[in-house]
Amino acid sequence: MEEQGTTEQGTTAAEKPRRSDRTKSAILTAARERFAGQGYERTTIRAVAADAGIDPSMVMRYFGSKERLFEAALTIDLRLPDLTAVPPADLPRALVRHFLDRWEGNPTDDALLVLLRSAVTNDQAAARMRDTFARQVAPALAPALVPAGPDAPRRAGLVSAQLLGLALARYLLRLPAVTALTPEEIETSYAPAIAAVLNPR
Amino acid sequence: MEEQGTTEQGTTAAEKPRRSDRTKSAILTAARERFAGQGYERTTIRAVAADAGIDPSMVMRYFGSKERLFEAALTIDLRLPDLTAVPPADLPRALVRHFLDRWEGNPTDDALLVLLRSAVTNDQAAARMRDTFARQVAPALAPALVPAGPDAPRRAGLVSAQLLGLALARYLLRLPAVTALTPEEIETSYAPAIAAVLNPR
């Protein structure tokens, strides 16, 4: 996803953009950890810069303000697959598998956890979550909602509720009954529930 | 539910226990609002007492410490019905209906919202949520898990995940696709998904 059109002033050599990408990435990782652990109010540009091992002026150069840094930290690409390529009968399981891959595939990418945790307590993050649903989840799910119809968006909403609930129970609340399950067990048990909402009756 | 065995010292007249119940209830309501809005760290006994219109010493008398006040504020009775009395075919819908009644029936009781919001960011609250699941949800769901079997607790966990996700999407994140639904529409759409996990195959 585009990161708010930050200008790359002073880029002269071919190597520069890659180094600035690494710097931005390090800032975003540090920011996500701070925002997740301390919340928006108590997080400072100075602390984020220290965590990323750079000068606070660099954070300001790349992101402009704490608010814009927060906005960038909340920008998530769910990387939803093209569901039109998946046979309808396999769709519910494919969705659950993608969800688990996205949450568990890369342990150092805690951006999803940060977004969800922030969204529960911060209005700006909740708005970003609604935006992520509208721009990424709803369009990706549209072809899977069979039969289509006027209630398709609402069914997409309830499928999202099911997957968000799985994230909440497994990664945030850590209910033992849910953390005890292997990804395969979750796929097997949860896919029929997703199917019941995607394809009613 | 019992509130940590607070002693009612100085109770002499028959009216006293009821007045002290009202005072404790006012303190808990104020505490839940403060903890939900500001988090544990920034909430003070002084502020809670001011909100409840009483002296801070009364909060200390009833609850002893901020930590114990937080603990009491997180103590939730889900009031789950006796599911053994419900015909098996009606169980999934009855569960969804009870869930919606509990969340939407009494707008001034925001204890559930406080617990969920706190549990996402505070370890003590998350532990209380796990405890609530183990003591209230899992036993209540046990008779509804047909066929029973070694995976029954895990199915109870996945039913909880779905209901928690509904709470997250509808009351905390306020996804428009989910807030647009009437309780009856949610019952109709979500009950088959709950059934798919309660009674697999």
Side-chain angles (χ1 to χ4, degrees):
Chain A
M1 298 195 92
E2 274 296 301
E3 229 97 63
Q4 358 249 0
T6 307
T7 57
E8 298 292 348
Q9 295 169 334
T11 301
T12 50
E15 281 303 294
K16 279 285 183 66
R18 298 190 59 194
R19 195 196 299 166
S20 74
D21 282 351
R22 282 199 302 274
T23 304
K24 281 172 69 173
S25 172
I27 294 169
L28 283 174
T29 298
R32 284 175 178 137
E33 277 165 21
R34 285 275 168 185
F35 286 131
Q38 308 191 309
Y40 179 78
E41 297 292 342
R42 284 189 293 159
T43 295
T44 63
I45 293 278
R46 183 173 300 274
V48 170
D51 292 348
I54 58 166
D55 192 84
S57 66
M58 289 293 280
V59 179
M60 292 305 283
R61 182 185 149 196
Y62 284 120
F63 295 98
S65 66
K66 186 169 93 167
E67 194 180 342
R68 286 183 56 202
L69 175 63
F70 188 51
E71 189 69 21
L74 296 176
T75 299
I76 302 286
D77 184 356
L78 297 177
R79 298 182 215 135
L80 283 164
D82 177 7
L83 296 176
T84 56
V86 181
D90 300 341
L91 263 170
R93 197 172 182 114
L95 264 182
V96 179
R97 188 179 310 123
H98 174 77
F99 172 88
L100 292 167
D101 282 351
R102 192 67 183 77
W103 277 85
E104 301 180 15
N106 181 355
T108 62
D109 176 12
D110 57 357
L112 288 164
L113 201 61
V114 175
L115 177 57
L116 185 50
R117 185 174 277 155
S118 302
V120 169
T121 51
N122 179 289
D123 287 341
Q124 187 184 345
R128 176 49 65 105
M129 193 67 121
R130 290 190 289 271
D131 187 64
T132 301
F133 170 80
R135 287 172 194 260
Q136 297 183 48
V137 181
L141 284 182
L145 295 158
V146 178
D151 68 336
R154 296 171 179 195
R155 274 148 56 205
L158 291 178
V159 168
S160 300
Q162 290 175 295
L163 294 175
L164 287 167
L166 191 54
L168 184 64
R170 188 167 169 93
Y171 310 116
L172 287 172
L173 305 180
R174 302 193 147 280
L175 293 184
V178 178
T179 56
L181 294 163
T182 66
E184 290 69 29
E185 287 170 330
I186 292 179
E187 277 177 39
T188 302
S189 299
Y190 223 57
I194 300 286
V197 175
L198 280 178
N199 319 122
R201 227 123 302 180
Chain B
M1 298 197 92
E2 274 295 303
E3 230 97 60
Q4 357 249 358
T6 307
T7 56
E8 299 291 349
Q9 295 169 334
T11 302
T12 51
E15 281 304 292
K16 279 285 183 64
R18 299 189 60 195
R19 196 196 298 165
S20 73
D21 281 353
R22 282 199 302 274
T23 304
K24 282 171 69 173
S25 172
I27 294 168
L28 284 173
T29 299
R32 285 176 177 136
E33 278 165 18
R34 285 274 166 185
F35 286 130
Q38 308 191 310
Y40 178 79
E41 297 292 343
R42 284 189 293 159
T43 295
T44 63
I45 293 279
R46 185 173 298 275
V48 169
D51 292 349
I54 58 165
D55 193 83
S57 66
M58 288 293 279
V59 178
M60 294 305 283
R61 183 186 147 195
Y62 283 119
F63 295 98
S65 67
K66 185 168 94 168
E67 194 180 343
R68 286 184 55 203
L69 175 62
F70 187 51
E71 190 70 19
L74 296 176
T75 298
I76 302 286
D77 184 355
L78 297 177
R79 297 184 215 134
L80 283 163
D82 177 7
L83 297 175
T84 57
V86 181
D90 300 340
L91 264 169
R93 196 169 182 118
L95 265 181
V96 178
R97 187 179 310 123
H98 173 76
F99 172 88
L100 292 166
D101 282 351
R102 192 66 183 79
W103 278 85
E104 301 180 16
N106 181 354
T108 62
D109 176 11
D110 57 356
L112 289 163
L113 200 62
V114 175
L115 177 57
L116 184 51
R117 185 174 278 154
S118 302
V120 169
T121 51
N122 179 288
D123 288 341
Q124 187 185 345
R128 175 49 65 106
M129 192 69 121
R130 291 191 288 272
D131 186 65
T132 302
F133 170 79
R135 286 172 194 259
Q136 297 183 46
V137 181
L141 285 183
L145 295 157
V146 177
D151 67 337
R154 297 171 180 195
R155 275 148 55 205
L158 291 179
V159 168
S160 300
Q162 293 187 83
L163 293 176
L164 287 166
L166 191 54
L168 184 63
R170 187 167 170 92
Y171 310 116
L172 287 172
L173 305 180
R174 302 193 147 279
L175 293 185
V178 178
T179 57
L181 294 163
T182 65
E184 291 70 29
E185 286 170 330
I186 292 179
E187 278 177 40
T188 302
S189 299
Y190 225 56
I194 300 291
V197 174
L198 279 178
N199 319 121
R201 228 121 304 173

